[in-house]
Amino acid sequence: MNIRVLYNYILVRLAVRHILPAHFVNSKPVSECGEELVERDGCLVRLGVFERLKQVNEFLPDGYRIVVVEGFRDERKQEQLRQEAEKKIKEAFPEITESELVTRLNKSVANRSGHLTGGAVDVLLYKDNQVAPCGSKYLEFNNETPSFARLKDKTSSANRKILHKAMKKAGFSNYPAEWWHFSYGDKMWAAYANKHAAIYGEVKNS
Ligand SMILES: [Zn+2]
């Protein structure tokens, strides 16, 4: 770890800066454990993720549960999502420069996403079988999307805390730029949980 990365890491730990630089996350080595993909809520996730997701429901207060809305994505789906996002950005900002476009695009759909490993999940909180509001809607990018955002609505703020506490207790790391994105075992998890290496690499199409 060089001094600049260490500095960034300390800022994140102290909650002065929330998001670790992408090059630091991507620099984590992968020691692939070879776990299979299994189904959860119609999505595919690694077995270790599946087991931890089961624990999350046990950690939640009565009446609450989580639903996984996105798990493993193959390369083709990831590329398709990037193309859709690129189109939307170009429509919204017709004058955008190429470098701004790439920055915005990487923010909304990561180039090398944890979803390609089966270790990342997008999760929604349910209360009494209804989606419990946690700030911005899923995939809605506004000032309530970052996990650390101060939410005006007290119920949403409480719900977000409930979700994050249970996910953390089960061993997941949250991506601070999106309140719904969590991972276990991928490079992002290794970076945020201060692990030497990821245990899930990208799953190639067979
Ligand atoms: Zn995600």
Side-chain angles (χ1 to χ4, degrees):
M1 201 185 273
N2 69 34
I3 197 78
R4 200 160 67 94
V5 170
L6 181 67
Y7 173 69
N8 275 296
Y9 186 76
I10 291 167
L11 289 181
V12 170
R13 283 277 135 169
L14 295 175
V16 176
R17 182 171 303 160
H18 302 275
I19 299 170
L20 286 168
H23 67 84
F24 173 63
V25 175
N26 290 328
S27 71
K28 283 283 174 184
V30 179
S31 177
E32 174 60 57
C33 70
E35 258 175 35
E36 59 183 324
L37 289 166
V38 292
E39 200 193 312
R40 161 75 201 237
D41 300 336
C43 303
L44 290 174
V45 296
R46 295 286 193 128
L47 186 59
V49 172
F50 179 87
E51 298 294 347
R52 280 166 181 79
L53 289 169
K54 273 203 292 198
Q55 285 186 321
V56 174
N57 279 341
E58 290 164 25
F59 296 148
L60 288 169
D62 283 349
Y64 289 91
R65 66 188 170 95
I66 48 158
V67 171
V68 177
V69 288
E70 182 78 323
F72 169 68
R73 267 179 218 149
D74 62 19
E75 294 244 25
R76 207 165 39 166
K77 188 165 177 207
Q78 181 71 13
E79 186 48 37
Q80 195 187 331
L81 284 176
R82 274 185 67 93
Q83 282 171 7
E84 281 166 19
E86 187 177 329
K87 205 174 137 215
K88 273 192 202 154
I89 295 166
K90 279 183 176 164
E91 275 166 14
F93 307 97
E95 311 277 294
I96 198 163
T97 64
E98 192 59 31
S99 73
E100 273 179 88
L101 176 69
V102 172
T103 307
R104 278 186 178 269
L105 189 57
N106 286 343
K107 248 188 204 171
S108 59
V109 185
N111 191 13
R112 304 286 359 144
S113 167
H115 287 289
L116 291 161
T117 73
V121 280
D122 295 343
V123 167
L124 298 183
L125 184 69
Y126 274 67
K127 191 190 177 195
D128 303 330
N129 294 323
Q130 307 245 17
V131 176
C134 287
S136 69
K137 291 201 182 82
Y138 175 52
L139 296 182
E140 184 182 47
F141 290 88
N142 59 31
N143 55 13
E144 295 205 329
T145 310
S147 307
F148 46 83
R150 200 179 282 269
L151 306 181
K152 274 184 250 128
D153 178 48
K154 282 204 168 72
T155 308
S156 302
S157 178
N159 285 339
R160 189 180 286 195
K161 284 197 183 102
I162 288 169
L163 172 67
H164 282 237
K165 195 177 162 197
M167 292 297 288
K168 194 177 172 194
K169 201 171 168 190
F172 290 93
S173 290
N174 167 248
Y175 175 43
E178 298 171 356
W179 64 261
W180 57 77
H181 182 106
F182 297 87
S183 63
Y184 172 79
D186 66 0
K187 286 184 176 185
M188 186 168 281
W189 165 83
Y192 282 90
N194 197 22
K195 305 286 179 190
H196 167 66
I199 55 169
Y200 304 145
E202 293 178 9
V203 180
K204 300 291 169 202
N205 298 338
S206 50

